[in-house]
Amino acid sequence: MADSLVIVESPTKAKSIGKYLGSKYIVKASMGHVRDLPKSQIGVEVDNNFNPKYITIRGKGSVLKELRDARKKVKKVYLAADPDREGEAIAWHLAHVLELDEAEPCRVVFNEITKQAVKDAFKTPRQINMDLVHAQQARRILDRLVGYKISPLLWKKVKKGLSAGRVQSVAVKLIMDRENEINMFVPEEYWTITAMLKSDKSPIEAKFHSMDGVKKELGSQADVSAIMDAIGKQSFEVKEVKEKERLRHPSPPFTTSSVQQEAARKLNFRAGKTMSVAQQLYEGVDLGKEGTVGLITYMRTDSTRVSPVAQEEASIYLNEKFGADFVPETPRQYAKKAANAQDAHEAIRPTSVLRDPESLKPFLSRDQLRLYKLIWERFVASQMTSAVMDTMTVDLLAGGALFRANGSKVRFPGFMKVYVEGNDDGTVETDKLLPPLTVGDKLKQETIEPKQHFTQPPPRYTEARMIKTLEELGIGRPSTYSPTLETIQKRGYVAIEEKKFVPTELGELVIQQMEEFFPEILDAEFTAHMEEDLDQVEDGQQQWDKVLSNFYESFEKRLEVAEEEMKEIEIEDEVSDEICEKCGRNFVYKIGRFGKFLACSGFPDCRNAKPIVKDTGVACPTCHEGKLVERRSKKGRVFYGCDRYPECDHVMWDKPSAKPCPSCGKLMVEKRSKQGTKLQCTQCDHNEVLQEPEEE
């Protein structure tokens, strides 16, 4: 008969660890938090040391009854929520509602759900760490104060239904500032000159570098003409050849931030999806005869540390799979990426490197397999030897103009045999070989091509860029990146266009008001400093209520000023020419999660709404009567369909082109890839380049 009750957050996690603990343990799930601040009121006694007033979360009554009933049947209760601030807070709330003695060692934590890790955790239970609880509580109250104090002001002065958040507001401000940079950007002209030169072995591509020994920027056609005149038809003479050996080192194993960025680049996953699938892999997947097994370590971490046991297993695996040359003499250690990085958990890695992706194919969904493969390959590569690159730089001279050619090849692949990190511009490195050359060799001109360019504005934020920026600025923590980006979209403050964030009119309006009356809330440095204070609360170096008091002292004064001086702004809905087919009133433009849409002006009496469709001007290739229009799916993804739907159900993901195929006359569509954008015929093999890859 069971004599101990173990409480975790989810049924999957309960199932995973239940099989390791045996019949003496009852394992139940709390289904996340059981208590929280009330939604109907601020729930914080500001004048009483910020005392929070917690209530049972609606719908959790039956869960608590089940846990209380189970509690009566056992001698001991263990709280095994996730190993972070949030998990510690869940354990504390459970201890309160189950009337457990907090001084008792009832808390067990494990970084991975494996038999050894779980059994070791239950050998060394500890007390609830109140520093962690206070850090979580301080963040929760801080966000509640900002949200519940500023939001009513925005309702009253600007528009009903608006809300403000601490970290979210900074994120919107960053997106808005970037949009302003783009709008104010003035392109500058510059030129490049590329020479294709003949050699005995193979042609060489060299780019202009300097003139008469001085580095020269080419800013106009006149600059280029002077260089071209100086070169004339002369041959190019090899002046210097440099050959070097370069080591390329592997990237560290994943943190929460880096896995979200890389999954966005390589798998096209949104941050929320990455964390959801990672949670499934962490909590456990049914592997048939082996049962439910946790496949990765805890996925909310900013540490790159790896346990010696995992490193040893990886070393043995690599030696057997690839040979001793691919195993470093000593296991790799990676430095903390940022000074404020926590080191409570390991990096994200497979719980066993022996479970390679191929062996798990029968048991994982497509998304689970793709993310697991990414995590597995990244970890394995991080434990391998560096790649050895042979590089070659050749300087060639003609008429005082120096051109430079660069080449490289992989001599020894090392970690690159398994995995190479992606980048935001999507380019892929390939070997670029140069033939053997010696000083004094003469090369004839094949072509010399000048090319005009214009500097590009900074790119809009993708999810990956946004997460990277928030991390670099010290804003938020691993668990907050995904919900922050989801929240600003749900509130309609930003929209997604071509996978990039764009501020909406509503977002700009809110930020303008916040900037005038609550500038510190939008200040990245101020927000980062608050994160440092919360970290110090976690480390026991600061009192949580003191952190809140320091913040609220100036915040309260800002509130008083805003109450008096913030002017009421009347936002009138823009009326469209379209008529509601249900009630005959005009549609008006509204702003939602994915940008503008049309809603009936008779709301709430009439709730008719529809998306704004953009006419592409292209005839439907199926019915030939309708036109293809741009629409958005429920998840915000752009697609193209016939405007005669539902009579014609033609849909396509690729943007149609008004230009018919010159070969067969059929519809062509735009195809985007890492190499740029091209037009591709939907019927024959014809394609043509439309746009070169975006310069970053």
Side-chain angles (χ1 to χ4, degrees):
M1 181 175 173
D3 59 11
S4 296
L5 169 65
V6 181
I7 305 176
V8 296
E9 300 101 310
S10 75
T12 304
K13 190 174 176 182
K15 184 179 178 183
S16 296
I17 73 170
K19 69 172 189 171
Y20 298 137
L21 295 176
S23 59
K24 288 187 177 182
Y25 294 84
I26 300 171
V27 187
K28 297 281 186 181
S30 70
M31 310 302 292
H33 278 277
V34 293
R35 292 200 308 167
D36 197 6
L37 299 173
K39 288 186 177 180
S40 58
Q41 55 183 280
I42 192 167
V44 179
E45 296 176 344
V46 174
D47 297 329
N48 186 20
N49 293 328
F50 301 94
N51 181 53
K53 296 190 291 184
Y54 293 112
I55 62 169
T56 301
I57 295 172
R58 186 188 293 265
K60 288 298 178 77
S62 58
V63 174
L64 287 177
K65 183 180 183 305
E66 183 181 348
L67 294 177
R68 286 188 179 112
D69 290 344
R71 165 79 178 93
K72 295 173 185 176
K73 300 174 184 177
V74 299
K75 297 177 183 177
K76 182 71 179 174
V77 177
Y78 293 100
L79 306 172
D82 286 346
D84 57 11
R85 290 178 190 170
E86 212 68 33
E88 207 72 19
I90 290 173
W92 179 66
H93 286 301
L94 285 168
H96 178 84
V97 298
L98 297 177
E99 298 179 352
L100 304 180
D101 183 355
E102 293 172 19
E104 286 291 312
C106 61
R107 180 81 167 108
V108 291
V109 292
F110 32 81
N111 192 50
E112 58 185 71
I113 302 178
T114 57
K115 186 174 183 177
Q116 192 60 48
V118 170
K119 285 190 172 293
D120 287 346
F122 277 85
K123 289 177 186 175
T124 56
R126 59 167 172 80
Q127 293 178 349
I128 292 172
N129 185 329
M130 291 307 298
D131 289 334
L132 281 172
V133 174
H134 289 150
Q136 187 275 344
Q137 185 168 257
R139 174 188 283 280
R140 187 78 183 91
I141 293 173
L142 193 61
D143 291 341
R144 175 58 65 104
L145 290 173
V146 172
Y148 276 56
K149 291 288 187 178
I150 298 180
S151 298
L153 258 177
L154 295 175
W155 278 53
K156 184 173 156 186
K157 303 285 189 177
V158 183
K159 183 181 179 183
K160 189 176 180 180
L162 294 183
S163 58
R166 188 174 59 90
V167 176
Q168 297 95 318
S169 297
V170 181
V172 177
K173 175 74 162 50
L174 289 170
I175 292 166
M176 197 174 95
D177 287 348
R178 177 57 57 89
E179 196 69 16
N180 290 337
E181 282 183 69
I182 293 169
N183 293 335
M184 294 173 64
F185 183 80
V186 179
E188 293 184 7
E189 180 185 12
Y190 71 98
W191 289 72
T192 58
I193 308 176
T194 303
M196 293 300 295
L197 309 173
K198 294 180 182 178
S199 75
D200 295 337
K201 303 290 183 182
S202 60
I204 292 175
E205 180 182 284
K207 292 186 179 294
F208 173 76
H209 180 267
S210 55
M211 188 70 191
D212 296 325
V214 179
K215 177 76 173 170
K216 183 173 178 60
E217 301 295 335
L218 304 177
S220 66
Q221 175 76 64
D223 291 341
V224 172
S225 297
I227 303 297
M228 297 291 284
D229 290 343
I231 297 171
K233 297 293 183 181
Q234 297 180 57
S235 297
F236 281 70
E237 182 181 349
V238 176
K239 284 297 179 185
E240 187 175 18
V241 178
K242 293 180 182 177
E243 294 183 83
K244 291 183 179 179
E245 174 186 291
R246 180 171 65 89
L247 293 180
R248 182 172 176 181
H249 306 298
S251 301
F254 281 132
T255 61
T256 302
S257 167
S258 59
V259 76
Q260 289 176 355
Q261 293 174 56
E262 194 74 337
R265 296 182 192 115
K266 291 193 172 183
L267 307 181
N268 201 26
F269 280 10
R270 302 290 298 276
K273 181 175 182 177
T274 299
M275 297 311 292
S276 174
V277 176
Q279 183 85 34
Q280 296 163 20
L281 296 173
Y282 165 70
E283 291 189 344
V285 177
D286 190 346
L287 301 185
K289 291 180 181 179
E290 198 175 350
T292 304
V293 177
L295 296 178
I296 64 169
T297 53
Y298 194 52
M299 63 284 159
R300 292 184 180 91
T301 177
D302 48 12
S303 172
T304 54
R305 179 173 55 82
V306 176
S307 74
V309 174
Q311 288 185 316
E312 185 179 355
E313 185 184 60
S315 178
I316 294 169
Y317 172 83
L318 290 169
N319 194 48
E320 292 178 355
K321 181 78 174 177
F322 300 109
D325 289 344
F326 288 84
V327 184
E329 291 183 9
T330 57
R332 288 189 177 277
Q333 303 295 331
Y334 293 94
K336 286 184 181 180
K337 212 173 177 187
N340 60 358
Q342 305 298 291
D343 201 39
H345 317 304
E346 286 188 63
I348 304 170
R349 61 167 176 82
T351 52
S352 173
V353 76
L354 303 179
R355 292 193 190 96
D356 62 84
E358 191 64 31
S359 68
L360 297 181
K361 262 188 179 180
F363 308 106
L364 303 184
S365 69
R366 180 174 181 267
D367 287 341
Q368 287 173 339
L369 182 63
R370 294 173 74 203
L371 185 60
Y372 180 79
K373 185 172 184 285
L374 194 71
I375 292 168
W376 186 90
E377 288 179 346
R378 173 81 163 223
F379 170 69
V380 170
S382 76
Q383 302 304 303
M384 297 175 72
T385 49
S386 301
V388 181
M389 316 288 290
D390 286 333
T391 64
M392 186 176 180
T393 302
V394 179
D395 286 348
L396 305 112
L397 202 61
L402 187 142
F403 279 63
R404 179 165 288 172
N406 293 297
S408 66
K409 67 176 180 178
V410 178
R411 188 201 308 168
F412 175 71
F415 75 93
M416 295 173 67
K417 198 170 182 71
V418 173
Y419 173 91
V420 177
E421 185 177 27
N423 51 60
D424 287 331
D425 61 12
T427 55
V428 179
E429 287 188 36
T430 56
D431 280 357
K432 188 178 179 182
L433 303 178
L434 294 178
L437 293 169
T438 55
V439 174
D441 285 351
K442 301 275 188 169
L443 285 81
K444 292 183 179 179
Q445 298 181 25
E446 198 168 79
T447 60
I448 299 186
E449 182 186 4
K451 195 171 183 181
Q452 184 186 39
H453 307 270
F454 290 92
T455 54
Q456 297 296 310
R460 284 172 170 165
Y461 287 108
T462 59
E463 272 206 349
R465 281 195 192 104
M466 194 71 212
I467 290 168
K468 185 177 181 181
T469 301
L470 291 173
E471 183 185 37
E472 288 173 346
L473 293 174
I475 298 169
R477 283 297 176 263
S479 60
T480 66
Y481 300 135
S482 172
T484 294
L485 299 185
E486 287 179 7
T487 299
I488 61 177
Q489 292 173 69
K490 286 178 181 176
R491 287 178 177 168
Y493 295 161
V494 301
I496 297 286
E497 290 183 8
E498 297 181 349
K499 300 180 183 179
K500 295 178 178 122
F501 287 114
V502 181
T504 63
E505 295 169 29
L506 182 62
E508 290 181 359
L509 186 61
V510 170
I511 293 302
Q512 285 167 8
Q513 295 301 311
M514 294 278 289
E515 208 162 17
E516 183 175 353
F517 294 98
F518 302 98
E520 72 278 3
I521 300 294
L522 298 179
D523 182 44
E525 285 189 25
F526 177 85
T527 306
H529 181 67
M530 287 301 304
E531 296 293 351
E532 291 171 4
D533 285 344
L534 293 172
D535 289 343
Q536 289 184 355
V537 171
E538 178 177 328
D539 295 336
Q541 297 173 16
Q542 280 212 58
Q543 295 296 316
W544 69 275
D545 52 349
K546 183 66 175 173
V547 170
L548 292 173
S549 179
N550 291 340
F551 165 78
Y552 197 74
E553 187 176 347
S554 61
F555 180 62
E556 189 175 32
K557 292 174 183 175
R558 293 276 189 192
L559 283 169
E560 291 172 1
V561 173
E563 280 280 4
E564 292 293 323
E565 298 183 8
M566 188 183 286
K567 295 177 182 178
E568 290 191 28
I569 300 173
E570 189 151 345
I571 302 177
E572 293 187 3
D573 293 320
E574 184 184 348
V575 180
S576 81
D577 295 330
E578 291 199 48
I579 304 299
C580 175
E581 61 273 16
K582 292 187 178 180
C583 71
R585 297 182 179 95
N586 282 76
F587 276 110
V588 293
Y589 292 102
K590 296 280 187 181
I591 299 173
R593 183 178 178 184
F594 301 113
K596 282 188 174 181
F597 66 96
L598 291 171
C600 181
S601 57
F603 180 87
D605 298 328
C606 178
R607 295 176 176 270
N608 190 22
K610 62 182 182 180
I612 298 172
V613 295
K614 296 179 183 177
D615 187 357
T616 65
V618 180
C620 174
T622 300
C623 70
H624 305 292
E625 296 179 27
K627 289 185 178 180
L628 294 180
V629 294
E630 180 183 304
R631 301 182 185 274
R632 285 186 182 270
S633 69
K634 289 181 179 179
K635 293 187 177 181
R637 186 178 174 189
V638 172
F639 70 97
Y640 303 87
C642 181
D643 64 359
R644 293 182 63 245
Y645 179 84
E647 286 82 7
C648 176
D649 61 359
H650 178 87
V651 292
M652 58 198 298
W653 292 110
D654 298 313
K655 184 177 181 180
S657 170
K659 178 182 178 181
C661 175
S663 298
C664 67
K666 297 296 183 181
L667 177 70
M668 290 207 295
V669 295
E670 291 185 14
K671 290 282 189 181
R672 297 175 183 273
S673 69
K674 294 173 181 177
Q675 286 71 46
T677 305
K678 65 179 180 179
L679 289 180
Q680 174 72 58
C681 179
T682 55
Q683 295 294 320
C684 70
D685 294 332
H686 177 81
N687 67 78
E688 53 191 74
V689 175
L690 188 65
Q691 183 180 336
E692 296 296 329
E694 179 184 328
E695 291 187 30
E696 295 279 334

